[in-house]
Amino acid sequence: MGRRNKAAEEEAQAIDLTPMLDVVFIMLIFFIVTASFIKEAGIEIDRPEATTAMLKKNANILIAVSSSNEVWIDKSRVDIRSVKGSIERLHAENPKGAVVIQADDDSNIETLTKVAEAAREAGVLDVSVSTEKK
């Protein structure tokens, strides 16, 4: 009889972890749904310096222009003629996102202008160029 009472006491004193696990899983789902995923452009570039650089908070569409004037979006090289379509696709995924062009210091201004024009034609009004603050 003593063994039964001892087993019943241990069972009554055990902590039920089910509610805690439910809360943890709900929090995990909440953070996954509300997370803002940053899409990298795909290459490392040497950005130009500027004294009037400002921080951009809602920059979700990153476009890189390399020193050899190659355009990179979402870790893949994109032809200059298909930049507008790529921006439209990314803008449809996140309508509030802004376009930030990360142009290399040695890149051509003509390529930078074509990318900015493609972003404007795709319907994105918030287009900026990434720089390094002095």
Side-chain angles (χ1 to χ4, degrees), residues 7-70:
E9 270 184 41
E10 286 179 9
E11 195 172 304
Q13 292 177 354
I15 298 173
D16 186 18
L17 297 177
T18 306
M20 184 184 74
L21 290 175
D22 290 342
V23 169
V24 169
F25 283 127
I26 289 171
M27 288 174 50
L28 179 66
I29 291 169
F30 173 77
F31 287 124
I32 289 173
V33 169
T34 59
S36 174
F37 296 102
I38 297 174
K39 297 190 182 237
E40 295 293 328
I43 58 172
E44 288 290 322
I45 57 163
D46 184 26
R47 296 180 292 175
E49 292 183 355
T51 56
T52 59
M54 294 185 320
L55 182 64
K56 199 86 164 149
K57 293 198 181 217
N58 61 344
N60 292 1
I61 303 172
L62 298 176
I63 302 170
V65 179
S66 69
S67 59
S68 59
N69 295 313
E70 296 174 338

Side-chain angles (χ1 to χ4, degrees), residues 47-120:
R47 296 180 292 175
E49 292 183 355
T51 56
T52 59
M54 294 185 320
L55 182 64
K56 199 86 164 149
K57 293 198 181 217
N58 61 344
N60 292 1
I61 303 172
L62 298 176
I63 302 170
V65 179
S66 69
S67 59
S68 59
N69 295 313
E70 296 174 338
V71 180
W72 290 75
I73 301 175
D74 204 15
K75 295 181 182 173
S76 61
R77 187 172 176 228
V78 177
D79 188 48
I80 192 70
R81 296 172 294 212
S82 61
V83 169
K84 179 182 171 188
S86 298
I87 294 172
E88 285 175 343
R89 178 181 51 83
L90 292 171
H91 187 59
E93 291 175 11
N94 186 4
K96 293 183 180 179
V99 170
V100 174
I101 303 169
Q102 299 173 326
D104 194 278
D105 203 15
D106 297 327
S107 65
N108 193 341
I109 191 70
E110 181 182 359
T111 308
L112 175 69
T113 306
K114 286 180 181 178
V115 171
E117 286 176 358
R120 295 283 175 140

